[in-house]
Amino acid sequence: MHLWWVIGGAPRFFSGRESYFPGGWVPVALGALAAAGCLAAGRVVTRTGHYVLAGVTAVAGAALCVYSFLFPVMVVSLLFEGPGGGMVASLLATGAGAVGGVFCLLVAAGERRLAVQPCESCGRVHGRSPESRAETAPRWAFAGAYVAVAGYAARMSVWLADTVTGRWPGAGSEASLGALVVFVVLMSVAGTVLPLALAHRWGRIWPAWVVPWRGRDVPRWLVLGTGLFMGGSLTAYFGIAGMTAWIRGDFGGAFVPLLLEMGGYTLWGVGLLVAATSYYAMTRPPCPLARLGSQPGLRRGQERA
């Protein structure tokens, strides 16, 4: 699509843009790099080749996702505002970039697995990967979780200051105030309980005080899916779009409140993504070889370690 638009001229986009990043040949080059990486997948035989291909494809996939970060905004605009001029072209461009980027990341993950030679039954590198939900999360997962909490606290400090000075949004309407309270409660859960659940054991196994389910596994995607969605949305909307618009001078205001707000949202999103990465690894199903007592993968991993 972008190659066609470079040759014949770009169409009209919703809100006048498909991305905050330069168009033209930039998305064409990203698409070509992504296509080359995906077409080469499975055709290299050395570990070094798998690592190189994984790195190239991961860079291309991440770049496509970043370039197409307005896709969720387009979808929300379509749902709440209805179709507008340039909406089809914007959805095609951003949607194709986001989906293509995700597929590239999956290909990169597959090439990395081939490079590290994981256990054929569970995909772990035994001796280096967590074996069960009951293990302690790595330190970087706790760091990500508490960075997310700190980002939430920074954002809410601005809101608290507005409340104290009488600038609470929506205070003039009882209905809007009620909706705002519900929103703030959900926001607070997403800024405190969610990141901590991604790192702490009680987010993977129900604690004793949750009597009906104590000791059982927490549904994986209840926590992981929410963490990935919130983390990706905050990072894309505020960390990329918001920061870019602020730097470009598209909006202004007092420096410190804007820094706390935009920086807080960004840290919140990035921290959630970091903690979610650990949660994904720690909540994989147990290795069937370990349960059967036959662990060649474990021995291989321990020897490498």
Side-chain angles (χ1 to χ4, degrees), residues 109-126 128-129 284 297-298 300-301 304:
E111 288 298 313
R112 182 184 177 278
R113 283 195 294 270
L114 293 175
V116 300
Q117 299 176 0
C119 173
E120 296 178 359
S121 297
C122 68
R124 291 180 174 85
V125 180
H126 292 297
R128 287 185 287 174
S129 301
R284 285 183 293 191
L298 278 168
R300 289 200 305 271
R304 287 200 298 271

Side-chain angles (χ1 to χ4, degrees), residues 38 61 64-65 68 71 91-106:
C38 292
L64 281 175
C65 289
S68 308
F71 178 62
L91 286 174
L92 282 174
T94 58
V99 172
V102 170
F103 278 129
C104 283
L105 294 176
L106 293 176

Side-chain angles (χ1 to χ4, degrees), residues 122-159:
C122 68
R124 291 180 174 85
V125 180
H126 292 297
R128 287 185 287 174
S129 301
E131 300 292 337
S132 72
R133 292 171 175 246
E135 294 187 21
T136 303
R139 292 180 179 178
W140 53 266
F142 284 97
Y146 284 95
V147 163
V149 174
Y152 158 79
R155 169 63 186 99
M156 294 305 291
S157 66
V158 179
W159 214 328

Side-chain angles (χ1 to χ4, degrees), residues 198-218:
L198 287 168
H200 287 272
R201 185 178 183 273
W202 53 263
R204 302 184 297 273
I205 301 175
W206 290 111
W209 53 268
V210 186
V211 178
W213 301 288
R214 59 182 176 184
R216 298 184 182 182
D217 290 347
V218 176

Side-chain angles (χ1 to χ4, degrees), residues 192-241:
T192 56
V193 178
L194 177 60
L196 297 180
L198 287 168
H200 287 272
R201 185 178 183 273
W202 53 263
R204 302 184 297 273
I205 301 175
W206 290 111
W209 53 268
V210 186
V211 178
W213 301 288
R214 59 182 176 184
R216 298 184 182 182
D217 290 347
V218 176
R220 187 188 196 195
W221 288 102
L222 175 66
V223 180
L224 180 59
T226 308
L228 289 174
F229 176 79
M230 286 290 301
S233 300
L234 291 174
T235 302
Y237 190 80
F238 294 99
I240 300 176

